[in-house]
Amino acid sequence: MHVRRTRRALLAWYEPRRRAWPWRRTRDSYRIWVSEVMLQQTRIAVVAPAYERFVARFPTLAELAAASEEEVLSAWSGLGYYRRARNLHAAARCLTAAGAMRFPRDRSAALALPGVGAYTSAAVLSIAFGQVHAAVDGNVVRVLSRLARLPPPDGRGQPHAAVSEALLDPERPGDWNQALMELGQRVCTPRVPSCGDCPLAGECQAHAADVVDAYPVPRARPAREAVDLDMLVVHDRRGAVLLERGVFPHLDHLWLPLTRTDDVAGTDDVERESVRHAIVKRDFCVRVWSRCEAAGRLRERATRSAVSERKVFAPADLADIGRSSLLIKVLRCAQLLD
């Protein structure tokens, strides 16, 4: 593979085609950091409007750090993987507590922050500050796997990390990282890649051998766990609903309907349809029940649990909390949301 020719070809392709995402209009390290965290495990088309809402609400690192976790989770609603938001918030507080007002320029300091790993630090430092670090995400792994016919990356990300460092353009590291990721998003896609439109087709070993579909080499995937679960939506006639957090083990920091156990079961419960929800390697089948109670009884229930935090939310208040897609599915099933 000819390194200089590869660099020239990719950057020449990228320059006129780069998409005008909102985070590309800034060199503010805080905003670039927010975008990179959001883009992990979330489709870019979903991230774009969510990013603009988030930075409008928290335009600076200091304002994010000063916000409550509830406010941050509310602004994160719809993006999923809420641990990312909690880590981002915790990292912002760590930085402001130390008197910092932006993402650190020192990579070791960046890597010490909650939720910041090799990819995030390299992406932010290269894009915001022009530092020479190769950012290797899933798109880059796929491109490099085909380009050099590489085996699956090991626990240290090798050999992809080494190949990525060798190819990185030291004069334009931020553009190079973004170009390689965009090539994976738009051309070197997981299925039916557009090799005829690829600026690196002439350098690609998998393309030359006509084995593009064999790369990346698939790894054996662990079996997904099927979990059956009951949830009870307790509400009053005005639509106020009792929610809890701290019980459901995989979203213990978010508000959800009661995870149904014997202490909340009742003869007046109405069985609704089941909803399905996936979290990482688990597939949940949630059987939904609902119960209408007097407002006073609802408030009493909010004070009685010894194992969870419970609270009654009026319909208008639901927009101000971190709303997981599971909560939305269950409330819609119980006919409390449109």
Side-chain angles (χ1 to χ4, degrees):
M1 186 191 314
H2 193 287
V3 172
R4 289 187 179 179
R5 186 165 57 223
T6 299
R7 290 173 181 166
R8 285 197 302 268
L10 181 59
L11 290 172
W13 170 86
Y14 174 69
E15 194 58 45
R17 294 172 181 83
R18 58 187 296 165
R19 291 180 289 188
W21 299 118
W23 49 87
R24 287 184 175 165
R25 298 195 292 263
T26 181
R27 283 292 179 266
D28 182 337
S29 59
Y30 162 68
R31 296 190 175 207
I32 292 169
W33 177 25
V34 169
S35 73
E36 289 298 336
V37 174
M38 287 185 170
L39 286 164
Q40 296 166 22
Q41 300 174 298
T42 304
R43 290 182 297 110
I44 197 166
V46 175
V47 169
Y51 165 85
E52 301 220 72
R53 290 195 303 270
F54 193 91
V55 297
R57 189 164 181 179
F58 310 115
T60 66
L61 180 68
E63 286 170 280
L64 176 62
S68 68
E69 182 175 285
E70 197 73 73
E71 291 174 308
V72 175
L73 294 177
S74 173
W76 199 267
S77 291
L79 289 170
Y81 297 95
Y82 285 83
R83 186 175 300 278
R84 295 177 300 169
R86 298 175 75 200
N87 282 336
L88 182 66
H89 188 216
R93 289 188 163 181
C94 287
L95 288 170
T96 55
M101 291 293 109
R102 64 180 181 180
F103 192 86
R105 285 178 174 266
D106 179 72
R107 195 174 193 192
S108 61
L111 289 169
L113 294 172
V116 176
Y119 168 77
T120 302
S121 61
V124 177
L125 293 174
S126 66
I127 297 168
F129 303 126
Q131 293 187 17
V132 185
H133 300 294
V136 182
D137 72 348
N139 289 298
V140 173
V141 166
R142 184 168 59 258
V143 172
L144 297 182
S145 294
R146 291 168 174 166
L147 194 63
R149 296 186 66 178
L150 300 179
D154 63 17
R156 297 180 300 113
Q158 298 295 356
H160 297 70
V163 174
S164 185
E165 290 287 351
L167 288 175
L168 179 65
D169 189 324
E171 296 182 1
R172 299 175 61 185
D175 284 343
W176 172 263
N177 283 330
Q178 292 178 92
L180 203 54
M181 288 185 274
E182 188 147 331
L183 186 72
Q185 292 161 4
R186 300 173 64 183
V187 177
C188 195
T189 52
R191 298 177 182 83
V192 196
S194 303
C195 296
D197 298 325
C198 181
L200 305 185
E203 303 292 326
C204 181
Q205 295 179 22
H207 178 64
D210 196 24
V211 291
V212 171
D213 290 342
Y215 291 88
V217 176
R219 287 177 166 174
R221 294 187 177 184
R224 297 184 66 81
E225 179 185 1
V227 181
D228 292 327
L229 186 69
D230 285 34
M231 281 190 169
L232 175 63
V233 180
V234 187
H235 61 94
D236 67 16
R237 289 182 175 81
R238 295 186 177 183
V241 62
L242 176 65
L243 301 179
E244 69 179 1
R245 61 182 174 187
V247 173
F248 187 70
H250 309 293
L251 294 170
D252 58 358
H253 50 288
L254 294 177
W255 293 102
L256 289 168
L258 307 188
T259 299
R260 180 172 173 163
T261 56
D262 290 342
D263 68 314
V264 297
T267 58
D268 296 331
D269 298 350
V270 177
E271 184 174 0
R272 307 288 183 174
E273 295 180 0
S274 295
V275 301
R276 296 191 177 276
H277 188 72
I279 300 178
V280 191
K281 298 174 183 176
R282 296 177 180 86
D283 294 316
F284 291 89
C285 179
V286 182
R287 188 164 57 171
V288 180
W289 303 75
S290 66
R291 181 192 304 168
C292 185
E293 293 188 342
R297 175 69 171 159
L298 205 62
R299 289 193 296 272
E300 180 186 343
R301 282 190 178 280
T303 64
R304 287 196 318 166
S305 176
V307 297
S308 68
E309 181 182 3
R310 290 183 176 177
K311 186 175 179 180
V312 176
F313 291 89
D317 296 333
L318 290 173
D320 296 327
I321 64 174
R323 300 200 302 177
S324 73
S325 56
L326 176 58
L327 172 63
I328 293 171
K329 289 176 185 177
V330 172
L331 292 184
R332 283 177 176 164
C333 186
Q335 301 178 357
L336 291 183
L337 276 182
D338 295 331

